[in-house]
Amino acid sequence: MKKILTLLSLAFAAMTATAQVYLDPNAPIEERVQDALSRMTTHEKIKILHAQSKFTSAGVPRLGIRQLNMDDGPHGVREELEWNTWSVARWTNDSIVAFPSLTCLTATWNRDLSALYGHSVSEEFAFRGKDIMLGPGVNIQRTPMNGRAFEYMGEDPFLAGEMVVPYIQSAQKNGVACCLKHFVLNDQEIDRFNVNVNVSERAMREIYLFPFKRAVDKAHVYTIMGSYNLWNGDHCCHNDALLNGILKKEWGWDGALVSDWGGTTNTMQAAYGGLDIEMGTYTDGKVKEAQHGYSAYYLADPFEKLINEGKIPMEVLDEKAARVLRTIFRTSMNPQKVIGFQCSEAHYDACRQIGEEGIVLLKNEKGMLPLDASRYKRILVVGENATRSLTQGGGSSELKTLYDVSPWEAFNSQLSTANCQLTLAQGYKSGRSVYDHVDKVDSSINDSLRSAALEAAKQADLIIFVGGFNKNHKQDCENGDRESYDLPFGQSALISALAKIQPNLIIVTFGGNPYAMPWLPQAKALLHCWYLGSEAGDALANILTGKVNPSGKLPVTFAKRLEDYPYAKFGQEAYPGITDVKVPANSAGEVPHRQVYYKEDIYVGYRGFDKDKVQPLFPFGFGLSYTTFAYGKPTATVQGDNIVLSVAVTNTGKVAGKEVVQIYASAPANKSLPKPQKELKGFGKTRLLAPGESETLTITIPRSDLASWNESTHQWQVDGGTYTLSVAASAADVRQKVNVNIP
Ligand code: BGC
């Protein structure tokens, strides 16, 4: 009997030893990871750490472990590319919905819409068989020159952090990982591969790392993309202090760090610097891209050799492989992963709704808007963006859409009537949207387009100008920053000339950044639209006509002049950096050739405008509505570790509308560190309030959100004392104040 029992227990042990826990969808992920790891050879572990094509990394076919399929991001699924090159694959079934740009989403200040965005876009990724979407991005908009600002979430770390969390949560609920980018300090495109950022410890923590930390803490983001630039002399794709020190150890993040494409430069640093998946490494220049063996990547053969020779311990490899396996079990082998859907009606609805709530009404003189088209007989629409597809261009976020509704199409269906005739004049020409290439437009073409528009203006009784930026190189596009704060392609002069002919002038601009508006006094109304995606025209027309009341507010300060931005007074050193400075080489022997110094420190955006006492053109948080709102007396109480603030908001106008309420905290007089005059620490948006209707918003501010980073103790610290909470409609429009004592 004893013998039988022993045999049975041995058989049971053998069975459990071979039970494929890693394939059991109901087993805890950590058990699946450890089980898979224990079955993999060194070579198999190495293979999952780097690309096997432009946008996939390998699984372990022998064990039935699936690969990871990735794609850009962040506004929709990128057109399918060839397996080994950047050329398009010419599929006929990869046309998708382009969602509004992340600046637009942020301008909604609506967390529910962020969740809807993440849910909808991840369904499209799932449908296309993708496991990781390369986005969203939360780099801070410290300069309006940044060519990629449209892909990010504005100038304020709290707003960006709060708005990114629901996006990630709902995308990941669908089994699609977000790859939050670009970690960190990728705040300019000039010399993005080789700029070393010098920033104070405090600004690093309070401004630049803050939204990433929020995404780690609150949304448990599965993957993060390292940025190209350097911090403290090391590339951020393998920067030990940043990735191991802060992200993995201090924050306890358990996800996989993906390199930006071509951001890995060295095997030892890749091994020890916190990188987990190496993507897009460029060729050595001797072979064509398509022939460059993925086994030549830094984390491939060269890494395997060092492991096999015992020069790098196996734990380093195991740690990376475990993170990649975890990602695989969370996504491609996640039984909860959805099948998804492409171009559903619900996705277009989401796209339009986000666009409508993100459009910001900046000026509306004498109730010019909402537009009653029946009052006009001849409306002239001027500007290239009235017809141009703005979902193309921009670099990696470029999209191939099933359809885009242009403003011109939507105006035709919503504004034109038997009595009202619409005509179109292009006004200016910007050229094709070609990545990394500034199209030269023949000036004679622009002269004749301009004359034609001015001629047509004489016949019109209303002009709607639809311009701004596009996604050409050095506009809103990767790998290049803007070169001027002015509107491009001679638009400002054209607008002024149009206004002289017909003062009934409505300006509509697209773009990710603020810009100079010398013509502002001449415009009757102004709407800024960021980028609105596939439903651009409908969203815009619905706002123009008042079908939807605008409720977007600026996520970035619009300055009168470029010189007014807080960094600008520090000259080239602060942006775009200087090249004639000697710095020591890093451990890999590299010397970055550009150094940029974030001399404005924590005083980025409105924090700096407040400090410098500079009046912006339009402050952070600003946006008009077709109605008005009154704010009641707020109350604020300390409840445990939270401050709970309540304020009633009443629609005092004649049409239904939503209001964004912003809470800015000002530190006590006895504060131990210098603090900005005020900082955004909470916000809420009302539901659609009918005229006369009120809603009480309750906004919770955790005490820990009042903390500052102390550079002497290298810790967060909250000063006790009396804080003033300003309840505001924008950074410059404080409606109510309430004091609260923090122990
Ligand atoms: C960009 C990333 C992008 C990647 C893949 C890089 O050049 O910086 O944001 O995800 O390419 O297209």
Side-chain angles (χ1 to χ4, degrees), residues 383-423:
E384 196 185 62
N385 284 349
T387 51
R388 186 182 177 103
S389 166
L390 293 172
T391 56
Q392 284 168 28
S396 58
S397 63
E398 176 168 68
L399 294 167
K400 172 174 151 189
T401 52
L402 190 61
Y403 72 77
D404 289 338
V405 182
S406 71
W408 173 243
E409 283 169 288
F411 293 172
N412 270 293
S413 55
Q414 292 205 36
L415 303 183
S416 100
T417 59
N419 296 330
C420 174
Q421 189 202 344
L422 248 69
T423 40

mmCIF file of all heavy atoms in Angstrom, residues 383-423:
data_model
loop_
_atom_site.group_PDB
_atom_site.id
_atom_site.type_symbol
_atom_site.label_atom_id
_atom_site.label_comp_id
_atom_site.label_asym_id
_atom_site.label_seq_id
_atom_site.Cartn_x
_atom_site.Cartn_y
_atom_site.Cartn_z
ATOM 1 N N GLY A 383 -9.491 78.748 -47.556
ATOM 2 C CA GLY A 383 -8.438 78.059 -46.805
ATOM 3 C C GLY A 383 -8.277 76.610 -47.224
ATOM 4 O O GLY A 383 -9.255 75.913 -47.490
ATOM 5 N N GLU A 384 -7.034 76.193 -47.256
ATOM 6 C CA GLU A 384 -6.728 74.842 -47.725
ATOM 7 C C GLU A 384 -7.313 73.766 -46.805
ATOM 8 O O GLU A 384 -7.701 72.689 -47.247
ATOM 9 C CB GLU A 384 -5.208 74.687 -47.807
ATOM 10 C CG GLU A 384 -4.773 73.516 -48.619
ATOM 11 C CD GLU A 384 -3.265 73.324 -48.564
ATOM 12 O OE1 GLU A 384 -2.741 73.090 -47.457
ATOM 13 O OE2 GLU A 384 -2.632 73.410 -49.606
ATOM 14 N N ASN A 385 -7.369 74.072 -45.499
ATOM 15 C CA ASN A 385 -7.846 73.043 -44.572
ATOM 16 C C ASN A 385 -9.347 72.791 -44.672
ATOM 17 O O ASN A 385 -9.872 71.885 -44.028
ATOM 18 C CB ASN A 385 -7.455 73.387 -43.138
ATOM 19 C CG ASN A 385 -5.988 73.110 -42.875
ATOM 20 O OD1 ASN A 385 -5.329 72.472 -43.695
ATOM 21 N ND2 ASN A 385 -5.468 73.581 -41.756
ATOM 22 N N ALA A 386 -10.029 73.585 -45.476
ATOM 23 C CA ALA A 386 -11.459 73.310 -45.685
ATOM 24 C C ALA A 386 -11.645 71.998 -46.431
ATOM 25 O O ALA A 386 -12.677 71.340 -46.300
ATOM 26 C CB ALA A 386 -12.098 74.460 -46.449
ATOM 27 N N THR A 387 -10.659 71.629 -47.216
ATOM 28 C CA THR A 387 -10.812 70.418 -48.030
ATOM 29 C C THR A 387 -9.709 69.392 -47.814
ATOM 30 O O THR A 387 -9.822 68.262 -48.251
ATOM 31 C CB THR A 387 -10.807 70.780 -49.540
ATOM 32 O OG1 THR A 387 -9.651 71.583 -49.787
ATOM 33 C CG2 THR A 387 -12.046 71.532 -49.937
ATOM 34 N N ARG A 388 -8.650 69.768 -47.146
ATOM 35 C CA ARG A 388 -7.486 68.890 -47.044
ATOM 36 C C ARG A 388 -7.712 67.789 -46.003
ATOM 37 O O ARG A 388 -8.290 68.038 -44.939
ATOM 38 C CB ARG A 388 -6.297 69.741 -46.609
ATOM 39 C CG ARG A 388 -4.982 69.016 -46.600
ATOM 40 C CD ARG A 388 -3.902 69.966 -46.098
ATOM 41 N NE ARG A 388 -2.632 69.291 -46.010
ATOM 42 C CZ ARG A 388 -1.641 69.430 -46.887
ATOM 43 N NH1 ARG A 388 -1.767 70.244 -47.906
ATOM 44 N NH2 ARG A 388 -0.519 68.763 -46.739
ATOM 45 N N SER A 389 -7.224 66.596 -46.301
ATOM 46 C CA SER A 389 -7.316 65.554 -45.287
ATOM 47 C C SER A 389 -6.198 65.740 -44.277
ATOM 48 O O SER A 389 -5.021 65.631 -44.607
ATOM 49 C CB SER A 389 -7.185 64.167 -45.922
ATOM 50 O OG SER A 389 -6.958 63.249 -44.863
ATOM 51 N N LEU A 390 -6.586 66.017 -43.049
ATOM 52 C CA LEU A 390 -5.576 66.259 -42.019
ATOM 53 C C LEU A 390 -5.263 65.002 -41.220
ATOM 54 O O LEU A 390 -4.624 65.052 -40.179
ATOM 55 C CB LEU A 390 -6.046 67.389 -41.091
ATOM 56 C CG LEU A 390 -6.129 68.748 -41.789
ATOM 57 C CD1 LEU A 390 -6.788 69.784 -40.893
ATOM 58 C CD2 LEU A 390 -4.767 69.236 -42.234
ATOM 59 N N THR A 391 -5.758 63.872 -41.697
ATOM 60 C CA THR A 391 -5.378 62.625 -41.030
ATOM 61 C C THR A 391 -4.091 62.083 -41.652
ATOM 62 O O THR A 391 -3.496 61.162 -41.138
ATOM 63 C CB THR A 391 -6.499 61.573 -41.151
ATOM 64 O OG1 THR A 391 -6.800 61.393 -42.529
ATOM 65 C CG2 THR A 391 -7.735 62.021 -40.420
ATOM 66 N N GLN A 392 -3.686 62.683 -42.775
ATOM 67 C CA GLN A 392 -2.424 62.268 -43.402
ATOM 68 C C GLN A 392 -1.275 63.152 -42.967
ATOM 69 O O GLN A 392 -1.477 64.279 -42.553
ATOM 70 C CB GLN A 392 -2.571 62.333 -44.914
ATOM 71 C CG GLN A 392 -3.372 61.158 -45.419
ATOM 72 C CD GLN A 392 -3.781 61.323 -46.853
ATOM 73 O OE1 GLN A 392 -3.104 61.989 -47.615
ATOM 74 N NE2 GLN A 392 -4.894 60.725 -47.205
ATOM 75 N N GLY A 393 -0.058 62.607 -43.084
ATOM 76 C CA GLY A 393 1.132 63.358 -42.699
ATOM 77 C C GLY A 393 1.403 63.205 -41.214
ATOM 78 O O GLY A 393 0.742 62.439 -40.510
ATOM 79 N N GLY A 394 2.397 63.917 -40.739
ATOM 80 C CA GLY A 394 2.671 63.937 -39.301
ATOM 81 C C GLY A 394 3.691 62.908 -38.839
ATOM 82 O O GLY A 394 4.112 62.914 -37.705
ATOM 83 N N GLY A 395 4.045 61.946 -39.716
ATOM 84 C CA GLY A 395 5.013 60.933 -39.275
ATOM 85 C C GLY A 395 4.307 59.665 -38.858
ATOM 86 O O GLY A 395 3.332 59.229 -39.494
ATOM 87 N N SER A 396 4.749 59.075 -37.758
ATOM 88 C CA SER A 396 4.257 57.742 -37.395
ATOM 89 C C SER A 396 2.772 57.721 -37.061
ATOM 90 O O SER A 396 2.151 56.660 -37.062
ATOM 91 C CB SER A 396 5.061 57.187 -36.225
ATOM 92 O OG SER A 396 4.970 58.048 -35.125
ATOM 93 N N SER A 397 2.185 58.873 -36.772
ATOM 94 C CA SER A 397 0.757 58.867 -36.424
ATOM 95 C C SER A 397 -0.136 59.036 -37.656
ATOM 96 O O SER A 397 -1.358 59.155 -37.525
ATOM 97 C CB SER A 397 0.456 59.963 -35.399
ATOM 98 O OG SER A 397 0.726 61.229 -35.963
ATOM 99 N N GLU A 398 0.468 59.027 -38.837
ATOM 100 C CA GLU A 398 -0.333 59.170 -40.065
ATOM 101 C C GLU A 398 -1.332 58.014 -40.192
ATOM 102 O O GLU A 398 -1.025 56.874 -39.837
ATOM 103 C CB GLU A 398 0.583 59.151 -41.285
ATOM 104 C CG GLU A 398 -0.195 59.191 -42.585
ATOM 105 C CD GLU A 398 0.690 59.458 -43.788
ATOM 106 O OE1 GLU A 398 1.500 58.574 -44.121
ATOM 107 O OE2 GLU A 398 0.577 60.542 -44.362
ATOM 108 N N LEU A 399 -2.501 58.317 -40.736
ATOM 109 C CA LEU A 399 -3.538 57.282 -40.815
ATOM 110 C C LEU A 399 -4.143 57.179 -42.202
ATOM 111 O O LEU A 399 -4.223 58.165 -42.939
ATOM 112 C CB LEU A 399 -4.639 57.599 -39.794
ATOM 113 C CG LEU A 399 -4.167 57.508 -38.337
ATOM 114 C CD1 LEU A 399 -5.177 58.123 -37.395
ATOM 115 C CD2 LEU A 399 -3.873 56.076 -37.933
ATOM 116 N N LYS A 400 -4.551 55.963 -42.521
ATOM 117 C CA LYS A 400 -5.255 55.722 -43.789
ATOM 118 C C LYS A 400 -6.713 55.465 -43.421
ATOM 119 O O LYS A 400 -7.036 54.442 -42.817
ATOM 120 C CB LYS A 400 -4.640 54.497 -44.456
ATOM 121 C CG LYS A 400 -5.356 53.995 -45.687
ATOM 122 C CD LYS A 400 -4.516 52.867 -46.292
ATOM 123 C CE LYS A 400 -5.315 51.850 -47.030
ATOM 124 N NZ LYS A 400 -4.495 50.687 -47.394
ATOM 125 N N THR A 401 -7.547 56.400 -43.764
ATOM 126 C CA THR A 401 -8.928 56.317 -43.273
ATOM 127 C C THR A 401 -9.866 55.772 -44.347
ATOM 128 O O THR A 401 -9.609 55.910 -45.541
ATOM 129 C CB THR A 401 -9.426 57.710 -42.851
ATOM 130 O OG1 THR A 401 -9.194 58.601 -43.942
ATOM 131 C CG2 THR A 401 -8.701 58.200 -41.634
ATOM 132 N N LEU A 402 -10.957 55.194 -43.867
ATOM 133 C CA LEU A 402 -11.979 54.733 -44.807
ATOM 134 C C LEU A 402 -12.622 55.958 -45.452
ATOM 135 O O LEU A 402 -12.832 56.019 -46.643
ATOM 136 C CB LEU A 402 -13.017 53.895 -44.061
ATOM 137 C CG LEU A 402 -14.017 53.146 -44.904
ATOM 138 C CD1 LEU A 402 -13.303 52.155 -45.816
ATOM 139 C CD2 LEU A 402 -15.015 52.389 -44.028
ATOM 140 N N TYR A 403 -12.957 56.925 -44.622
ATOM 141 C CA TYR A 403 -13.387 58.220 -45.163
ATOM 142 C C TYR A 403 -13.111 59.312 -44.142
ATOM 143 O O TYR A 403 -13.000 59.049 -42.950
ATOM 144 C CB TYR A 403 -14.870 58.217 -45.560
ATOM 145 C CG TYR A 403 -15.850 58.196 -44.401
ATOM 146 C CD1 TYR A 403 -16.125 59.347 -43.666
ATOM 147 C CD2 TYR A 403 -16.525 57.020 -44.061
ATOM 148 C CE1 TYR A 403 -17.024 59.324 -42.605
ATOM 149 C CE2 TYR A 403 -17.420 56.998 -43.005
ATOM 150 C CZ TYR A 403 -17.659 58.159 -42.279
ATOM 151 O OH TYR A 403 -18.532 58.146 -41.227
ATOM 152 N N ASP A 404 -12.967 60.529 -44.643
ATOM 153 C CA ASP A 404 -12.878 61.718 -43.793
ATOM 154 C C ASP A 404 -13.960 62.675 -44.258
ATOM 155 O O ASP A 404 -14.131 62.857 -45.461
ATOM 156 C CB ASP A 404 -11.551 62.460 -44.014
ATOM 157 C CG ASP A 404 -10.357 61.716 -43.459
ATOM 158 O OD1 ASP A 404 -10.540 60.881 -42.569
ATOM 159 O OD2 ASP A 404 -9.239 61.999 -43.932
ATOM 160 N N VAL A 405 -14.659 63.287 -43.318
ATOM 161 C CA VAL A 405 -15.602 64.343 -43.707
ATOM 162 C C VAL A 405 -14.866 65.666 -43.574
ATOM 163 O O VAL A 405 -14.435 66.038 -42.481
ATOM 164 C CB VAL A 405 -16.843 64.351 -42.787
ATOM 165 C CG1 VAL A 405 -17.820 65.430 -43.240
ATOM 166 C CG2 VAL A 405 -17.510 62.990 -42.768
ATOM 167 N N SER A 406 -14.711 66.369 -44.679
ATOM 168 C CA SER A 406 -13.985 67.646 -44.618
ATOM 169 C C SER A 406 -14.945 68.749 -44.175
ATOM 170 O O SER A 406 -16.171 68.620 -44.311
ATOM 171 C CB SER A 406 -13.406 67.988 -45.984
ATOM 172 O OG SER A 406 -14.465 68.345 -46.857
ATOM 173 N N PRO A 407 -14.409 69.862 -43.680
ATOM 174 C CA PRO A 407 -15.281 70.990 -43.336
ATOM 175 C C PRO A 407 -16.139 71.423 -44.528
ATOM 176 O O PRO A 407 -17.333 71.667 -44.390
ATOM 177 C CB PRO A 407 -14.278 72.085 -42.939
ATOM 178 C CG PRO A 407 -13.115 71.321 -42.379
ATOM 179 C CD PRO A 407 -13.018 70.087 -43.231
ATOM 180 N N TRP A 408 -15.535 71.473 -45.702
ATOM 181 C CA TRP A 408 -16.275 71.930 -46.889
ATOM 182 C C TRP A 408 -17.480 71.036 -47.168
ATOM 183 O O TRP A 408 -18.588 71.514 -47.422
ATOM 184 C CB TRP A 408 -15.313 71.973 -48.087
ATOM 185 C CG TRP A 408 -15.958 72.268 -49.404
ATOM 186 C CD1 TRP A 408 -16.003 71.447 -50.486
ATOM 187 C CD2 TRP A 408 -16.646 73.471 -49.789
ATOM 188 N NE1 TRP A 408 -16.673 72.047 -51.526
ATOM 189 C CE2 TRP A 408 -17.084 73.298 -51.125
ATOM 190 C CE3 TRP A 408 -16.952 74.668 -49.143
ATOM 191 C CZ2 TRP A 408 -17.787 74.273 -51.815
ATOM 192 C CZ3 TRP A 408 -17.667 75.642 -49.828
ATOM 193 C CH2 TRP A 408 -18.080 75.441 -51.152
ATOM 194 N N GLU A 409 -17.273 69.710 -47.051
ATOM 195 C CA GLU A 409 -18.409 68.788 -47.271
ATOM 196 C C GLU A 409 -19.498 69.024 -46.237
ATOM 197 O O GLU A 409 -20.689 69.075 -46.557
ATOM 198 C CB GLU A 409 -17.944 67.334 -47.150
ATOM 199 C CG GLU A 409 -17.197 66.802 -48.348
ATOM 200 C CD GLU A 409 -16.542 65.472 -48.027
ATOM 201 O OE1 GLU A 409 -15.545 65.463 -47.276
ATOM 202 O OE2 GLU A 409 -17.015 64.448 -48.513
ATOM 203 N N ALA A 410 -19.077 69.160 -44.975
ATOM 204 C CA ALA A 410 -20.075 69.325 -43.908
ATOM 205 C C ALA A 410 -20.784 70.669 -44.028
ATOM 206 O O ALA A 410 -21.995 70.760 -43.807
ATOM 207 C CB ALA A 410 -19.403 69.195 -42.547
ATOM 208 N N PHE A 411 -20.050 71.723 -44.421
ATOM 209 C CA PHE A 411 -20.702 73.035 -44.589
ATOM 210 C C PHE A 411 -21.761 72.937 -45.679
ATOM 211 O O PHE A 411 -22.832 73.517 -45.573
ATOM 212 C CB PHE A 411 -19.699 74.117 -44.986
ATOM 213 C CG PHE A 411 -18.681 74.457 -43.919
ATOM 214 C CD1 PHE A 411 -17.611 75.300 -44.205
ATOM 215 C CD2 PHE A 411 -18.797 73.957 -42.631
ATOM 216 C CE1 PHE A 411 -16.676 75.619 -43.239
ATOM 217 C CE2 PHE A 411 -17.860 74.279 -41.664
ATOM 218 C CZ PHE A 411 -16.797 75.106 -41.969
ATOM 219 N N ASN A 412 -21.420 72.206 -46.741
ATOM 220 C CA ASN A 412 -22.384 72.077 -47.834
ATOM 221 C C ASN A 412 -23.657 71.406 -47.385
ATOM 222 O O ASN A 412 -24.748 71.790 -47.787
ATOM 223 C CB ASN A 412 -21.760 71.318 -49.010
ATOM 224 C CG ASN A 412 -21.089 72.282 -49.945
ATOM 225 O OD1 ASN A 412 -21.751 73.080 -50.592
ATOM 226 N ND2 ASN A 412 -19.770 72.258 -49.970
ATOM 227 N N SER A 413 -23.514 70.395 -46.513
ATOM 228 C CA SER A 413 -24.761 69.758 -46.105
ATOM 229 C C SER A 413 -25.438 70.515 -44.971
ATOM 230 O O SER A 413 -26.649 70.447 -44.840
ATOM 231 C CB SER A 413 -24.547 68.283 -45.771
ATOM 232 O OG SER A 413 -23.559 68.160 -44.813
ATOM 233 N N GLN A 414 -24.684 71.255 -44.161
ATOM 234 C CA GLN A 414 -25.343 71.881 -43.006
ATOM 235 C C GLN A 414 -25.637 73.377 -43.179
ATOM 236 O O GLN A 414 -26.501 73.918 -42.513
ATOM 237 C CB GLN A 414 -24.478 71.706 -41.759
ATOM 238 C CG GLN A 414 -24.403 70.260 -41.298
ATOM 239 C CD GLN A 414 -24.103 70.158 -39.809
ATOM 240 O OE1 GLN A 414 -24.557 70.977 -39.019
ATOM 241 N NE2 GLN A 414 -23.357 69.144 -39.418
ATOM 242 N N LEU A 415 -24.890 74.069 -44.038
ATOM 243 C CA LEU A 415 -25.087 75.525 -44.123
ATOM 244 C C LEU A 415 -25.831 75.961 -45.378
ATOM 245 O O LEU A 415 -26.511 76.988 -45.387
ATOM 246 C CB LEU A 415 -23.737 76.263 -44.099
ATOM 247 C CG LEU A 415 -22.817 76.026 -42.913
ATOM 248 C CD1 LEU A 415 -21.565 76.887 -43.029
ATOM 249 C CD2 LEU A 415 -23.527 76.349 -41.601
ATOM 250 N N SER A 416 -25.633 75.199 -46.460
ATOM 251 C CA SER A 416 -26.175 75.734 -47.703
ATOM 252 C C SER A 416 -27.683 75.495 -47.777
ATOM 253 O O SER A 416 -28.179 74.423 -47.416
ATOM 254 C CB SER A 416 -25.415 75.153 -48.889
ATOM 255 O OG SER A 416 -26.111 74.123 -49.471
ATOM 256 N N THR A 417 -28.387 76.521 -48.197
ATOM 257 C CA THR A 417 -29.844 76.438 -48.349
ATOM 258 C C THR A 417 -30.185 77.032 -49.705
ATOM 259 O O THR A 417 -29.290 77.522 -50.402
ATOM 260 C CB THR A 417 -30.560 77.281 -47.272
ATOM 261 O OG1 THR A 417 -30.108 78.627 -47.429
ATOM 262 C CG2 THR A 417 -30.274 76.791 -45.871
ATOM 263 N N ALA A 418 -31.469 77.034 -50.042
ATOM 264 C CA ALA A 418 -31.878 77.605 -51.326
ATOM 265 C C ALA A 418 -31.455 79.077 -51.409
ATOM 266 O O ALA A 418 -31.099 79.585 -52.463
ATOM 267 C CB ALA A 418 -33.381 77.470 -51.482
ATOM 268 N N ASN A 419 -31.461 79.766 -50.229
ATOM 269 C CA ASN A 419 -31.141 81.197 -50.238
ATOM 270 C C ASN A 419 -29.672 81.483 -50.024
ATOM 271 O O ASN A 419 -29.233 82.611 -50.132
ATOM 272 C CB ASN A 419 -31.895 81.912 -49.099
ATOM 273 C CG ASN A 419 -33.366 81.827 -49.338
ATOM 274 O OD1 ASN A 419 -33.778 81.787 -50.491
ATOM 275 N ND2 ASN A 419 -34.138 81.768 -48.255
ATOM 276 N N CYS A 420 -28.939 80.452 -49.627
ATOM 277 C CA CYS A 420 -27.557 80.716 -49.242
ATOM 278 C C CYS A 420 -26.610 79.890 -50.108
ATOM 279 O O CYS A 420 -26.659 78.670 -50.117
ATOM 280 C CB CYS A 420 -27.393 80.369 -47.759
ATOM 281 S SG CYS A 420 -25.702 80.487 -47.233
ATOM 282 N N GLN A 421 -25.764 80.613 -50.798
ATOM 283 C CA GLN A 421 -24.846 79.934 -51.718
ATOM 284 C C GLN A 421 -23.454 79.877 -51.090
ATOM 285 O O GLN A 421 -22.986 80.859 -50.509
ATOM 286 C CB GLN A 421 -24.821 80.759 -52.998
ATOM 287 C CG GLN A 421 -24.108 80.131 -54.131
ATOM 288 C CD GLN A 421 -23.667 81.194 -55.134
ATOM 289 O OE1 GLN A 421 -24.141 82.328 -55.124
ATOM 290 N NE2 GLN A 421 -22.749 80.811 -55.984
ATOM 291 N N LEU A 422 -22.812 78.736 -51.206
ATOM 292 C CA LEU A 422 -21.468 78.559 -50.636
ATOM 293 C C LEU A 422 -20.436 78.499 -51.747
ATOM 294 O O LEU A 422 -20.622 77.757 -52.705
ATOM 295 C CB LEU A 422 -21.425 77.218 -49.888
ATOM 296 C CG LEU A 422 -21.289 77.263 -48.381
ATOM 297 C CD1 LEU A 422 -22.573 77.804 -47.783
ATOM 298 C CD2 LEU A 422 -21.029 75.867 -47.841
ATOM 299 N N THR A 423 -19.383 79.267 -51.620
ATOM 300 C CA THR A 423 -18.290 79.114 -52.597
ATOM 301 C C THR A 423 -16.988 78.879 -51.854
ATOM 302 O O THR A 423 -16.853 79.210 -50.672
ATOM 303 C CB THR A 423 -18.113 80.355 -53.501
ATOM 304 O OG1 THR A 423 -18.299 81.499 -52.689
ATOM 305 C CG2 THR A 423 -19.028 80.368 -54.670
#
